[in-house]
C-alpha cells in the first residue's frame, strides 16, 4: 500500500519551511476535506499563498494539484469502507492461513514506524510524563482494550491515570474535572466513532491536550489533537488490525517509564510492598 498523505506529511514536517508547515497543519486539522477544495480555498484557510500550497504539494511528491486531490479522494473512499465492502483475492496455493496475515502485520509495523519520528514520540512521551495534570485514556468499539491496557501500565508509573469506560454520558461527566494541564489519549480507527469525536471536541474546548492514535487515513479527532500518531491497520481481510497501534502503545509505555525513571521505580517498589 502506498504511503498516505498524512504519512508523507509526518515524514517531512520537520523539514518544511514555515509557510508550508502551516499548510500541512491545516490539512491535518481538516483531513482530507480541505485538500479537496480549490487551491485558493486551501491557501485562504491556511493563511498562505496559492504558490505555497502548490510547492507543498510538490514537496510531498505529486506532479500537480489534481494528482494530489485524486490521492485524497482514494483515501476518503478507503475511510468509508466497512468490513462487508472489502473483497480480497484468495491466498495463493500453499500459503496457508498464517502467511498472508503475518506478512501484512509485519509490513504494517514496518511502515508505521518508518513514518513516525523519534522526535514525535519523544514529544508525546514528555507530555504523558507530566505529573502536574491528570491523564485520561479512551478508545472506540475495537480500540478501547488498547486504552485500558495502556492505562493499566501508566497507573503503575505515574499518579492520576484514568481509563474512561462505560456510556458516553459517563465520559461527559468527567469533563468537569478536566482542564488545560490534563492530557487525553484517544485510540480511534475507521469507521471513526462519532461519540469519541464529540467528546474530543468538548475536551479540546476545555483546553485539554489531546493525543490521538489513529490509522493512516486519520480520525476526524485530528482537528482537535496536539499530537497525532498514525498506524497502519489495513489487512487482506474484512477486518482492520490494531497490531501497529498496540506496538505504538507499548513504545510509549516504555518511553514514559524511562522518562520518569526514579519516580516510576519508586512507585513500582511501593506497590510491590503494598501487595
Amino acid at each position: 500500500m502506498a504511503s498516505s498523505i498524512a504519512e508523507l506529511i509526518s515524514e517531512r514536517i520537520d523539514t518544511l519551511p514555515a509557510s508550508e508547515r502551516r499548510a500541512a497543519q491545516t490539512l491535518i486539522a481538516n483531513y482530507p476535506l480541505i485538500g479537496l477544495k480549490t487551491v485558493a480555498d486551501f491557501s485562504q484557510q491556511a493563511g498562505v499563498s496559492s504558490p505555497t500550497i502548490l510547492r507543498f504539494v510538490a514537496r510531498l511528491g505529486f506532479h500537480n494539484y489534481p494528482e494530489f486531490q485524486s490521492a485524497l479522494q482514494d483515501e476518503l473512499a478507503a475511510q468509508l469502507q466497512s468490513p462487508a465492502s472489502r473483497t480480497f483475492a484468495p491466498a495463493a496455493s500453499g500459503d496457508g492461513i498464517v502467511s498472508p496475515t503475518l506478512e501484512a502485520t509485519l509490513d504494517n509495523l514496518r511502515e508505521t514506524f518508518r513514518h513516525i519520528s523519534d522526535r514525535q514520540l519523544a514529544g508525546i512521551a514528555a507530555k504523558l510524563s507530566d505529573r502536574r495534570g491528570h491523564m485520561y485514556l479512551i478508545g472506540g468499539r475495537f480500540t478501547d482494550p488498547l486504552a485500558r491496557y495502556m492505562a493499566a501500565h501508566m497507573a503503575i508509573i505515574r499518579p492520576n491515570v484514568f481509563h474512561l469506560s462505560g456510556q458516553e454520558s459517563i465520559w461527559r461527566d468527567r469533563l468537569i474535572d478536566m482542564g488545560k494541564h490534563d492530557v487525553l489519549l484517544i485510540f480511534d480507527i475507521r469507521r471513526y466513532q462519532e461519540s469519541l469525536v464529540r467528546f474530543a471536541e468538548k475536551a479540546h474546548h476545555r483546553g485539554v491536550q489531546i493525543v490521538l492514535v489513529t490509522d493512516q487515513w486519520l480520525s476526524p479527532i485530528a482537528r482537535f489533537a496536539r499530537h497525532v500518531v498514525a498506524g497502519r491497520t489495513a489487512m487482506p481481510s474484512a477486518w482492520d488490525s490494531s497490531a501497529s497501534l498496540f506496538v505504538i502503545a507499548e513504545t510509549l509505555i516504555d518511553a514514559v517509564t524511562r522518562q520518569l525513571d526514579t519516580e516510576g521505580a519508586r512507585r513500582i517498589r511501593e506497590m510491590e510492598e503494598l501487595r
Side-chain angles (χ1 to χ4, degrees):
M1 181 185 297
S3 297
S4 71
I5 290 173
E7 289 174 328
L8 295 175
I9 290 172
S10 180
E11 281 182 1
R12 295 164 170 77
I13 189 71
D14 292 335
T15 63
L16 294 177
S19 58
E20 292 180 31
R21 193 177 304 123
R22 284 199 298 274
Q25 291 166 341
T26 300
L27 177 58
I28 292 298
N30 301 273
Y31 199 84
L33 298 181
I34 188 63
L36 296 175
K37 295 186 177 182
T38 65
V39 174
D41 288 339
F42 189 173
S43 65
Q44 181 178 16
Q45 186 156 342
V48 299
S49 68
S50 292
T52 295
I53 297 297
L54 296 178
R55 286 194 299 271
F56 164 64
V57 167
R59 204 178 297 272
L60 294 180
F62 296 98
H63 294 101
N64 51 54
Y65 197 69
E67 183 182 24
F68 164 76
Q69 289 190 312
S70 178
L72 284 177
Q73 288 168 347
D74 290 343
E75 289 187 27
L76 184 59
Q79 275 189 0
L80 301 175
Q81 285 182 352
S82 69
S85 68
R86 298 173 202 158
T87 57
F88 303 95
S93 176
D95 276 352
I97 293 174
V98 173
S99 182
T101 301
L102 177 60
E103 288 304 315
T105 300
L106 293 174
D107 187 59
N108 279 347
L109 289 171
R110 282 190 291 265
E111 286 300 302
T112 292
F113 284 90
R114 187 169 70 85
H115 293 95
I116 300 175
S117 69
D118 287 343
R119 179 179 177 182
Q120 182 182 16
L121 291 174
I124 296 171
K127 182 57 194 172
L128 299 183
S129 302
D130 188 348
R131 290 163 292 164
R132 291 175 299 175
H134 294 184
M135 179 179 175
Y136 300 89
L137 301 96
I138 193 170
R141 180 182 179 187
F142 293 110
T143 55
D144 194 55
L146 297 172
R148 185 167 60 249
Y149 175 85
M150 189 167 176
H153 286 76
M154 290 289 113
I156 294 174
I157 57 177
R158 58 151 291 172
N160 299 316
V161 175
F162 305 96
H163 172 238
L164 302 177
S165 59
Q167 299 178 357
E168 184 182 359
S169 59
I170 298 175
W171 315 341
R172 290 200 304 269
D173 289 346
R174 298 304 297 268
L175 285 167
I176 190 68
D177 297 319
M178 297 169 68
K180 63 182 181 179
H181 295 299
D182 301 324
V183 60
L184 172 62
L185 195 153
I186 305 177
F187 293 87
D188 188 35
I189 62 175
R190 70 175 181 183
R191 293 174 286 169
Y192 311 110
Q193 191 163 313
E194 186 58 37
S195 58
L196 287 180
V197 178
R198 291 193 297 267
F199 182 67
E201 182 174 14
K202 290 180 181 295
H204 172 71
H205 289 322
R206 293 186 66 84
V208 178
Q209 297 185 49
I210 295 173
V211 176
L212 171 66
V213 180
T214 184
D215 53 28
Q216 62 265 42
W217 303 290
L218 298 194
S219 162
I221 293 169
R223 71 174 68 103
F224 309 118
R226 176 70 61 87
H227 299 280
V228 178
V229 184
R232 288 287 184 101
T233 61
M235 296 287 285
S237 161
W239 305 102
D240 282 336
S241 166
S242 292
S244 64
L245 277 64
F246 184 83
V247 177
I248 289 170
E250 294 222 304
T251 300
L252 290 173
I253 290 169
D254 180 62
V256 174
T257 302
R258 292 173 184 275
Q259 191 145 337
L260 290 175
D261 193 16
T262 304
E263 173 65 15
R266 181 190 63 78
R267 282 179 61 87
I268 292 172
R269 286 194 303 271
E270 287 190 16
M271 284 188 179
E272 289 299 319
E273 291 170 0
L274 291 170
R275 289 181 184 274

